[in-house]
Amino acid sequence: MRNDATAAPRLKVHSISRRLGGREVVSDVSMEIAPGQISCLLGPSGCGKSTTLRIIAGLDRQDGGEVSIRGQPVSNDRIHLPPERRSVGMMFQDFALFPFLTVRGNVAFGLNKSERKGEARVSELLAKVAMENFRDKFPHELSGGEQQRAALARALAPKPGILLMDEPFSSLDNRLRDGIRDETIAVLKEEKTAVLLVTHEPQEAMRMGDEILLMREGKIIQRGAPYAMYNSPVDREAASFFSEINLIRGNVKNALVQTPFGQFLAPGISDGADVEIVIRPQHLRIDFDRNGAGPNPTPQDGVPARGVVERVRFIGDSSLVELRMDFDHSVLKAAVPAVFMPRAGTPFWVSMRRDRCYVFPCAGRGRVHDPLSTTYPIIDTVN
């Protein structure tokens, strides 16, 4: 998603790859980021996110592919501009403020000599990050959130074409993160900065990103807006990366999968293939009565199956109920809004929001969807 669909990409990465220690840690990675766009490179530790960021910054060099900034190549098989010639700002998780400089000195450090003589840019940025009253303080006199704001102002001072952020909020207290993230988004949007944020936290990527690029084993396996990424995962691993999931296994016959919850369509999967049906806890419904479907039954709730409560946990905005199912003794988790604390051993009938289920081939059998498509239909079901 771009804020300005007519804007040329500020950053363009085309098919970059990198081998380290005999292993390809970045493989055929491509992306484009427009001015004012925040793209989040999301994935588990060791998937190649930081290596990709270092290549774009010029701190490492790819083995193949090209990086262009403002329409000009900065690294390919012929040229490799150093970081200081790329108009790239950087923020890291430790903030890296100079301890011997005040907040004002840190922000002014990235400006050229003529700019350093004036206070206009420094004052402008300190006002944007609400740090005017801290301009004469040193980093050790600041809280974590204040240090983050100062680091953001310093990174933006020279008006970089691109801002690269590597886990910039990971050292902050959980209570501070959401507020600091929202403040950061507001400043970045106002500055119309093209941003690539590296994170391993799905909630952070969904909160901050206009676009998410999900990375696994050096490859971008799915990209799209946060809503599309969450609601149309490319495979089981992608679904489980964004939230807890329940799994039901079955076998395809005539494009259908027979389960204790009824039949499910499995389009595009060959007969005889083993599949996994994925559903998130919030899309399970539980009821005391087999003939009931909860307070607001829908045709998509399907066939109920019986289970017995094994454990319940209250997690703030909902209750997580774990049920041992009669049909195979597996445990399914249902998220119930607000406080719902039935005793262990209580029987319930469980039904699925079947319009919220996903059917995937088991590992090694291929995928249902094109992994680089940005839209994925939710798998439909039949009774």
Side-chain angles (χ1 to χ4, degrees):
M1 178 189 297
R2 291 183 182 169
N3 289 357
D4 183 355
T6 65
R10 185 75 59 78
L11 170 68
K12 186 173 182 178
V13 176
H14 178 66
S15 297
I16 62 170
S17 60
R18 183 73 170 107
R19 296 188 67 84
L20 294 171
R23 183 173 66 92
E24 194 166 46
V25 296
V26 176
S27 178
D28 195 28
V29 167
S30 298
M31 69 182 76
E32 294 184 4
I33 306 177
Q37 176 182 339
I38 301 176
S39 290
C40 293
L41 190 57
L42 172 68
S45 298
C47 73
K49 306 185 303 295
S50 293
T51 301
T52 300
L53 202 75
R54 288 174 58 82
I55 289 170
I56 295 169
L59 300 172
D60 195 1
R61 186 170 186 174
Q62 71 274 22
D63 297 313
E66 183 174 81
V67 178
S68 297
I69 296 175
R70 297 183 186 271
Q72 299 298 316
V74 296
S75 184
N76 54 32
D77 58 356
R78 300 181 304 279
I79 62 172
H80 182 72
L81 297 185
E84 62 271 17
R85 294 182 58 194
R86 295 194 179 197
S87 185
V88 170
M90 301 184 70
M91 277 188 67
F92 300 98
Q93 52 188 290
D94 62 358
F95 307 138
L97 294 170
F98 298 113
F100 51 86
L101 293 178
T102 62
V103 168
R104 185 230 170 261
N106 268 282
V107 175
F109 184 84
L111 302 174
N112 62 43
K113 292 182 179 179
S114 62
E115 290 173 320
R116 289 186 203 179
K117 295 177 182 178
E119 287 289 312
R121 180 62 174 165
V122 173
S123 297
E124 175 192 4
L125 284 169
L126 289 180
K128 285 184 177 180
V129 298
M131 289 290 288
E132 308 100 310
N133 296 332
F134 299 86
R135 61 188 299 121
D136 296 321
K137 290 187 176 293
F138 289 89
H140 72 272
E141 300 177 288
L142 305 176
S143 68
E146 291 161 356
Q147 289 183 35
Q148 197 276 343
R149 293 188 183 99
L152 176 62
R154 185 182 68 177
L156 293 175
K159 298 183 178 180
I162 301 156
L163 181 60
L164 305 177
M165 307 176 79
D166 193 359
E167 306 276 4
F169 308 103
S170 61
S171 62
L172 296 179
D173 187 287
N174 285 336
R175 295 171 296 175
L176 293 175
R177 286 186 190 178
D178 287 347
I180 294 293
R181 287 166 179 160
D182 291 345
E183 293 167 4
T184 299
I185 291 172
V187 173
L188 294 173
K189 294 292 185 182
E190 188 175 347
E191 289 280 311
K192 292 182 169 33
T193 308
V195 179
L196 180 62
L197 168 69
V198 162
T199 180
H200 66 276
E201 296 185 15
Q203 297 302 320
E204 180 168 273
M206 287 191 288
R207 189 181 188 99
M208 294 199 67
D210 300 308
E211 177 189 48
I212 297 174
L213 300 97
L214 183 59
M215 197 170 196
R216 186 190 304 150
E217 296 179 352
K219 298 180 180 180
I220 306 296
I221 61 121
Q222 187 178 357
R223 68 185 70 196
Y227 176 86
M229 297 291 288
Y230 184 86
N231 287 291
S232 300
V234 69
D235 57 21
R236 184 196 72 185
E237 289 81 4
S240 65
F241 198 78
F242 285 94
S243 75
E244 280 197 275
I245 60 172
N246 293 299
L247 284 179
I248 299 170
R249 292 180 171 86
N251 188 268
V252 177
K253 184 176 181 181
N254 297 324
L256 295 172
V257 184
Q258 182 65 50
T259 79
F261 296 97
Q263 291 180 332
F264 289 74
L265 290 174
I269 304 177
S270 59
D271 275 9
D274 294 325
V275 295
E276 295 169 323
I277 299 170
V278 173
I279 186 165
R280 293 191 165 101
Q282 64 267 33
H283 296 139
L284 286 180
R285 301 171 68 92
I286 61 177
D287 197 271
F288 286 103
D289 183 359
R290 179 174 187 172
N291 297 316
N296 299 296
T298 73
Q300 290 290 353
D301 285 337
V303 178
R306 186 180 181 275
V308 175
V309 173
E310 191 160 273
R311 185 167 67 147
V312 183
R313 289 169 286 163
F314 179 64
I315 53 178
D317 58 352
S318 62
S319 301
L320 192 64
V321 182
E322 298 182 11
L323 300 115
R324 180 76 62 181
M325 303 306 297
D326 289 352
F327 61 83
D328 67 352
H329 303 293
S330 64
V331 172
L332 297 182
K333 298 178 181 180
V336 180
V339 181
F340 181 70
M341 305 292 288
R343 293 181 179 179
T346 304
F348 284 101
W349 291 92
V350 181
S351 54
M352 288 189 171
R353 277 291 309 273
R354 301 190 325 155
D355 58 327
R356 293 295 179 181
C357 292
Y358 312 98
V359 180
F360 300 116
C362 288
R365 296 293 185 95
R367 295 189 172 105
V368 178
H369 304 300
D370 172 5
L372 293 184
S373 175
T374 56
T375 59
Y376 306 87
I378 292 174
I379 299 300
D380 198 5
T381 58
V382 296
N383 288 323

